[in-house]
Amino acid sequence: VVGYKTMNHPLPQTSSSKISPLSSNDDLLKKSSTLQKKAQANLIAFQIATNPQYEANWHHRIIARELEKIEAFGDRDYKVLLVFVPPRHGKSELCSIGFPAWYLGRNPTKEIITVSYSAELAQDFGGKTRSVVSSESYPFNEISLKEDEQAKAKWRTNSGGSYTSVG
């Protein structure tokens, strides 16, 4: 899945490897501050917090763990992360939309540049990432889009961070 030799033997999928949203609004309200803290610390929890229909499978957890390492260590230990997963298995949702939104929440002054094979796809990812950051479910309350930002492919946050997508 990711650039590892150990990935030649994938983990089996079990029913417990999926994360589903909480079943009732009462539970959600009781646990909202806990969920918000988890979403701020963990990429899979972030995906669930911002998209309650998200179901994380074993390969999403492995990819998320590697993306979290990139965020934690920056360019000290990682230079490139290659993700090899078949189409329609969640690469874009996790790597191109969720991770940049989560990363900006944790690193509000950083600049993110994402690259895609086409300008149309890059703009689509930028718009979806922008929607996550501007949504009410975004767990980083202190981060918001600058008031004058309307573009999908290039926007800034109120903390000086920015997102640019090109294709």
Side-chain angles (χ1 to χ4, degrees):
V1 174
V2 262
Y4 280 168
K5 283 187 175 182
T6 58
M7 291 318 303
N8 293 334
H9 306 286
L11 300 171
Q13 178 182 353
T14 64
S15 59
S16 64
S17 68
K18 289 187 176 183
I19 294 179
S20 59
L22 295 171
S23 58
S24 76
N25 288 337
D26 290 340
D27 289 341
L28 186 60
L29 290 174
K30 289 178 191 172
K31 297 181 180 182
S32 64
S33 66
T34 303
L35 288 175
Q36 188 172 14
K37 288 178 185 174
K38 285 183 181 179
Q40 291 173 350
N42 178 279
L43 183 54
I44 293 294
F46 174 83
Q47 289 291 97
I48 294 165
T50 57
N51 178 4
Q53 285 75 40
Y54 187 82
E55 291 187 9
N57 207 325
W58 66 269
H59 67 285
H60 298 126
R61 295 179 195 287
I62 292 170
I63 295 167
R65 185 171 46 238
E66 296 307 310
L67 290 168
E68 288 170 352
K69 287 179 186 177
I70 290 172
E71 188 274 335
F73 299 112
D75 62 359
R76 290 187 320 221
D77 296 328
Y78 263 98
K79 296 296 180 196
V80 176
L81 175 65
L82 303 175
V83 180
F84 299 99
V85 180
R88 309 295 304 164
H89 279 71
K91 292 183 304 290
S92 297
E93 181 71 29
L94 188 58
C95 300
S96 300
I97 300 166
F99 178 69
W102 181 76
Y103 183 88
L104 269 178
R106 291 176 56 88
N107 302 278
T109 61
K110 297 288 186 177
E111 297 175 337
I112 294 177
I113 299 174
T114 63
V115 180
S116 181
Y117 71 89
S118 76
E120 183 179 344
L121 188 59
Q123 187 169 3
D124 184 49
F125 289 155
K128 288 178 180 178
T129 304
R130 186 183 186 285
S131 292
V132 171
V133 172
S134 62
S135 73
E136 288 189 22
S137 62
Y138 191 63
F140 301 95
N141 297 331
E142 64 282 355
I143 307 299
S144 64
L145 297 176
K146 287 199 100 152
E147 299 257 343
D148 60 343
E149 297 296 320
Q150 299 298 319
K152 292 180 179 179
K154 187 173 179 79
W155 42 267
R156 294 172 296 149
T157 68
N158 63 338
S159 300
S162 68
Y163 176 95
T164 304
S165 61
V166 295

